[in-house]
Amino acid sequence: MVNRKNIMRLLQFRTDKHMVISFYMGIGVYKSKRKAYEIEAKDIIKSAMAEAGIGGDVKEEVEADAKRILDFLRMDFMGRARGLAIFACEPENLWQVYRLPVTVPDRCVIDHVPFVMPMLKIVDEGRRFCVVVTDKEKARIFTLYLGEMTERTDLFDVVPGWHKQGGWSQARYQRHIEDHVNRHLKHVADSLFDFYKREGFGHLIIGGPQEIRTRLYRILHSYLQRIFRGFISVEVTSSADEIAEAASKIVEETESSQSRLLTQRILEPKGQHITVKGLKETIGALEEARVHTLVLVEHELIPGSMCTKCEKIDVPGTKVCSLCGSEMQAVDDVSEYLARLAVGQDAEVSYVSNGFGLERVGGVGAILRW
Ligand SMILES: [Zn+2]
């Protein structure tokens, strides 16, 4: 299960003597051909070994881990996920498989630490939507995450039919039905709040007949009302694709307004908020453990320097490490190191779209705790 706790464990993992294979694969292209995954995976791992210059004693270990990954793809892998992440280091007893709800670019990295960046994007709760669709008697709950719609549960309360109510007056019968509808909606509202507490999501969308969805909204817990983003006109019997399609406009609007707001908060802080922007200031804030939310521009590379000895990060062109005095090396992209530092300090990591202005100050900034 992809969650913050597991990722923290991966972030803290480090081996000096051995190597960790971090293997990512997007799934869907070869749906019916399992063999194709294996061939593809073999190639990815092979070039990662060449790139990392694996030789000597560790070569055998890495090859054994690689074989385990290929065996997994052949034997155990059912191919229902959209993406797959595997972390393997047999000598240190590390073997973790994550089936991911979203596709990831194929990639393999062999290093002394796991490569967790693509996982960080997946825990960003701000991008998880909950869609509930209800009528007078049924309800369905879905999560919508980066385009992936998953049905989570099925709630079903029966409203009594006419035939059982022989001798009742019209008025009494109506009250009886209303009691059931109220109880059903209360049950939906409670289930949603439990779900929110258990797994967390950043946004809520409600679908169903107009009168019913409004009634559900009114009895929701105030937390859920706060993250409510809009109503959609769908039926409980609509297909998951139809519901996702109806929600897509709200999702798009929410994501871009989030990107805009977050970028604005960093570039023009108001009131109590303390923020930093640009690589230099952000590194400083991370080193002082002051970051509450690290904000990165999606798909933006952040060139920098890294100490060959202590892995301190600095701005591009830095020659000598300010911590240990060792030589610094130019690196194409330091965004993953920044994200690791942040998650290691229990800070949040959020990604914003390009085009709202953060890319003009180096593609990175942060909201600080103090
Ligand atoms: Zn150093």
Side-chain angles (χ1 to χ4, degrees):
M1 162 109 189
V2 184
N3 61 36
R4 208 175 177 87
K5 211 170 111 202
N6 284 337
I7 291 177
M8 289 294 281
R9 226 176 285 152
L10 276 177
L11 280 166
Q12 284 152 7
F13 185 91
R14 188 186 175 95
T15 169
D16 290 324
K17 275 187 277 174
H18 310 288
M19 288 301 213
V20 183
I21 302 187
S22 305
F23 173 82
Y24 291 87
M25 196 164 192
I27 290 155
V29 198
Y30 315 116
K31 249 175 190 120
S32 54
K33 292 180 252 162
R34 189 174 292 205
K35 189 82 191 153
Y37 288 118
E38 227 185 293
I39 295 167
E40 172 83 5
K42 218 176 214 164
D43 284 349
I44 303 171
I45 297 173
K46 207 170 158 188
S47 53
M49 284 178 73
E51 200 178 304
I54 300 294
D57 291 347
V58 288
K59 192 169 180 214
E60 232 168 86
E61 292 173 7
V62 171
E63 275 171 349
D65 280 329
K67 184 177 179 303
R68 191 169 176 191
I69 292 171
L70 296 173
D71 285 349
F72 174 84
L73 288 175
R74 187 166 47 239
M75 313 296 291
D76 301 329
F77 176 52
M78 297 303 290
R80 261 173 308 176
R82 285 279 173 94
L84 193 65
I86 303 178
F87 301 91
C89 178
E90 173 82 58
E92 296 277 4
N93 232 341
L94 175 70
W95 173 258
Q96 291 189 7
V97 177
Y98 296 90
R99 289 171 172 82
L100 307 176
V102 292
T103 188
V104 284
D106 295 347
R107 190 157 183 189
C108 180
V109 174
I110 302 173
D111 199 350
H112 294 290
V113 290
F115 173 67
V116 285
M117 174 78 145
M119 303 277 284
L120 295 175
K121 295 194 179 184
I122 287 160
V123 287
D124 185 356
E125 271 175 14
R127 310 186 75 169
R128 201 202 302 270
F129 287 75
C130 175
V131 183
V132 59
V133 183
T134 186
D135 60 14
K136 284 185 179 181
E137 50 190 302
K138 288 181 216 146
R140 291 161 78 195
I141 295 177
F142 300 86
T143 53
L144 186 54
Y145 194 83
L146 304 178
E148 170 88 341
M149 186 85 162
T150 313
E151 182 152 10
R152 294 310 301 257
T153 183
D154 192 78
L155 305 169
F156 191 78
D157 286 332
V158 180
V159 173
W162 285 100
H163 59 280
K164 284 179 192 164
Q165 312 305 328
W168 288 18
S169 71
Q170 181 73 10
R172 190 177 160 212
Y173 178 70
Q174 274 306 332
R175 265 200 316 277
H176 184 66
I177 294 256
E178 276 313 295
D179 281 353
H180 272 272
V181 174
N182 284 336
R183 228 176 299 150
H184 163 66
L185 291 177
K186 178 81 173 67
H187 181 42
V188 175
D190 289 346
S191 306
L192 275 175
F193 192 49
D194 285 345
F195 182 47
Y196 173 77
K197 284 186 289 188
R198 204 168 57 239
E199 287 187 30
F201 46 83
H203 316 278
L204 178 66
I205 295 171
I206 306 177
Q210 193 173 358
E211 185 227 335
I212 299 294
R213 68 195 192 204
T214 315
R215 273 167 73 180
L216 175 63
Y217 170 79
R218 285 203 207 107
I219 59 165
L220 284 178
H221 192 283
S222 60
Y223 286 172
L224 295 180
Q225 287 182 342
R226 221 172 297 154
I227 60 168
F228 169 74
R229 301 293 174 235
F231 291 119
I232 50 173
S233 296
V234 287
E235 305 284 323
V236 167
T237 49
S238 301
S239 72
D241 283 347
E242 285 165 347
I243 295 169
E245 170 65 27
S248 65
K249 193 160 173 257
I250 298 175
V251 171
E252 256 169 56
E253 284 167 3
T254 304
E255 286 183 342
S256 73
S257 92
Q258 241 185 335
S259 286
R260 189 172 45 243
L261 279 175
L262 204 49
T263 307
Q264 238 168 37
R265 267 179 81 182
I266 289 178
L267 299 182
E268 305 149 30
K270 287 200 182 88
Q272 301 287 306
H273 294 299
I274 310 171
T275 65
V276 287
K277 54 179 185 256
L279 182 58
K280 195 177 169 62
E281 286 181 30
T282 306
I283 292 170
L286 281 168
E287 284 175 351
E288 290 170 1
R290 294 171 63 194
V291 172
H292 177 278
T293 307
L294 174 72
V295 184
L296 295 159
V297 176
E298 207 158 15
H299 310 305
E300 187 93 349
L301 297 182
I302 306 173
S305 312
M306 184 183 286
C307 174
T308 49
K309 198 169 172 200
C310 74
E311 289 197 344
K312 181 195 152 49
I313 304 162
D314 218 320
V315 293
T318 312
K319 298 282 176 244
V320 178
C321 174
S322 60
L323 286 184
C324 74
S326 302
E327 190 193 334
M328 301 219 43
Q329 220 170 31
V331 279
D332 297 340
D333 182 27
V334 294
S335 60
E336 198 224 339
Y337 293 92
L338 298 175
R340 270 169 186 265
L341 271 175
V343 173
Q345 297 171 4
D346 218 15
E348 287 171 29
V349 180
S350 286
Y351 292 84
V352 295
S353 319
N354 203 310
F356 293 101
L358 194 63
E359 66 283 352
R360 289 198 296 271
V361 295
V364 63
I367 296 163
L368 306 188
R369 294 180 205 271
W370 46 275

